[in-house]
Amino acid sequence: MKIDFTPDPALYPFESRWFDASAGRVHYIDEGSGPPMLFCHGNPTWSFLYRNIVIGLRDRFRCIAVDYLGFGLSDRPPGFGYTIEEHAQVVGELVDHLNLEDLVTVGQDWGGPISMAVDVGRADRIRGVVLGNTWFWPTEALRMKMFSLVMSTRLMQRAILEKNFFVERLVPNGTARHLSPREMDHYRLVQPSPEARRGVAEMPKQIRAAAPLLQRLSRDVPALLGPKPALFVWGMKDFAFPPRLNLPRMQAAFPDHVLTELPRAKHYIQEDAPDLIAEAIVARFG
């Protein structure tokens, strides 16, 4: 299944590129020049989420932002399971295809575990990491477990698939600023049908189902990536990843870290504080 949507160049002034991964055709952007930086999104977003950060960084970095299969402009291939393990495999194939070295990865929401899974398999090619409002260990928080359980019920799966619940409700609730109708359309129109939203519906199930991968990451990230320089950019108003529950473990895993607090940002920090994030990345890795 292909997505028939053309982004507004006034909002998304990038050239679309395509990669034929083993599981399906992946959409990504590759902007600017300099040290490479890979941007990994969460649910239910796509590379559009990083647009303003990429615009702010492409004069200093080579900015690659990917859409996972089932998200954004990437295909929805038959037989793909939309697990986090599968997403990491596909993103890793893109990294290898582009022959990225001395790479900094940026991950938020599910982009954290996905980028970390890509990185631990290529630790010698990773320069540093940027993480914001995310995690990479089996969830212990009751709120996350309950969210996964509720979103996995038949009622909520129907709401996600048939009513686009994640886009229509969670994106507005997860941003401190009011997104314009045209911005919302860029999230809405890349998920045009229940069939197109299967990847979105699977991700909340993966909070529990991906426990084996997350358990491996909880060991491998500190061991293989912990010595790397890290930047944490954290939305302090996030309902999903409150700083007091997540940051201490992040900081313990990466002793050489810098924390940039985003005082007014909620979950979708890229929408609420793109300039602050870009400035923090330049200060840390520029």
Side-chain angles (χ1 to χ4, degrees):
M1 179 183 181
K2 302 187 187 311
I3 300 302
D4 183 19
F5 173 71
T6 301
D8 182 348
L11 291 177
Y12 189 80
F14 313 123
E15 177 186 353
S16 286
R17 300 174 187 268
W18 306 92
F19 167 59
D20 289 321
S22 60
R25 194 175 72 144
V26 172
H27 173 262
Y28 69 100
I29 59 172
D30 190 341
E31 297 283 318
S33 60
M37 188 163 290
L38 176 71
F39 298 85
C40 296
H41 64 83
N43 197 19
T45 55
W46 56 294
S47 55
F48 179 76
L49 179 71
Y50 284 104
R51 65 197 179 281
N52 292 318
I53 297 173
V54 170
I55 290 169
L57 293 177
R58 62 182 172 180
D59 62 334
R60 295 171 179 259
F61 298 93
R62 178 185 176 188
C63 298
I64 300 125
V66 61
D67 301 347
Y68 312 140
L69 291 174
F71 293 80
L73 301 179
S74 290
D75 285 356
R76 278 69 171 165
F80 192 68
Y82 301 105
T83 68
I84 301 307
E85 192 102 48
E86 288 170 298
H87 288 311
Q89 171 67 31
V90 170
V91 175
E93 290 177 16
L94 176 62
V95 169
D96 295 342
H97 169 73
L98 296 176
N99 195 27
L100 299 177
E101 302 279 349
D102 202 28
L103 176 65
V104 173
T105 59
V106 183
Q108 176 264 344
D109 190 84
W110 275 114
I114 290 170
S115 66
M116 292 295 94
V118 170
D119 290 359
V120 296
R122 299 161 181 83
D124 60 332
R125 295 160 58 184
I126 302 303
R127 175 186 174 198
V129 304
V130 181
L131 294 168
N133 297 73
T134 187
W135 83 115
F136 53 79
W137 50 82
T139 183
E140 299 166 358
L142 180 60
R143 70 170 67 195
M144 289 285 286
K145 292 179 179 178
M146 290 304 300
F147 177 79
S148 179
L149 285 167
V150 170
M151 291 298 153
S152 301
T153 63
R154 182 178 301 180
L155 176 66
M156 291 310 302
Q157 285 284 296
R158 285 184 58 188
I160 296 167
L161 292 169
E162 297 177 12
K163 299 182 179 179
N164 211 5
F165 175 83
F166 264 71
V167 168
E168 301 295 349
R169 295 291 296 276
L170 295 192
V171 169
N173 288 341
T175 50
R177 73 177 186 88
H178 181 72
L179 301 189
S180 72
R182 189 62 180 143
E183 287 173 319
M184 281 301 301
D185 279 346
H186 278 66
Y187 290 115
R188 185 178 289 125
L189 297 178
V190 295
Q191 301 290 357
S193 67
E195 182 185 1
R197 300 169 194 149
R198 286 182 53 221
V200 175
E202 177 60 31
M203 274 194 172
K205 299 179 184 178
Q206 287 288 303
I207 293 172
R208 291 172 297 136
L213 170 63
L214 293 168
Q215 187 63 52
R216 293 200 306 272
L217 292 178
S218 72
R219 298 190 305 266
D220 292 348
V221 168
L224 298 175
L225 303 176
K228 310 281 184 180
L231 170 66
F232 306 137
V233 283
W234 215 270
M236 305 303 282
K237 299 289 183 67
D238 187 7
F239 59 88
F241 296 97
R244 63 181 178 83
L245 296 181
N246 291 77
L247 271 175
R249 190 159 182 175
M250 286 281 180
Q251 293 166 320
F254 292 94
D256 181 11
H257 68 264
V258 171
L259 169 63
T260 296
E261 296 184 1
L262 309 172
R264 290 182 291 277
K266 296 175 77 174
H267 183 61
Y268 297 105
I269 56 176
Q270 303 93 327
E271 291 288 3
D272 287 340
D275 293 343
L276 292 176
I277 295 170
E279 291 168 7
I281 289 173
V282 169
R284 184 65 163 142
F285 295 106

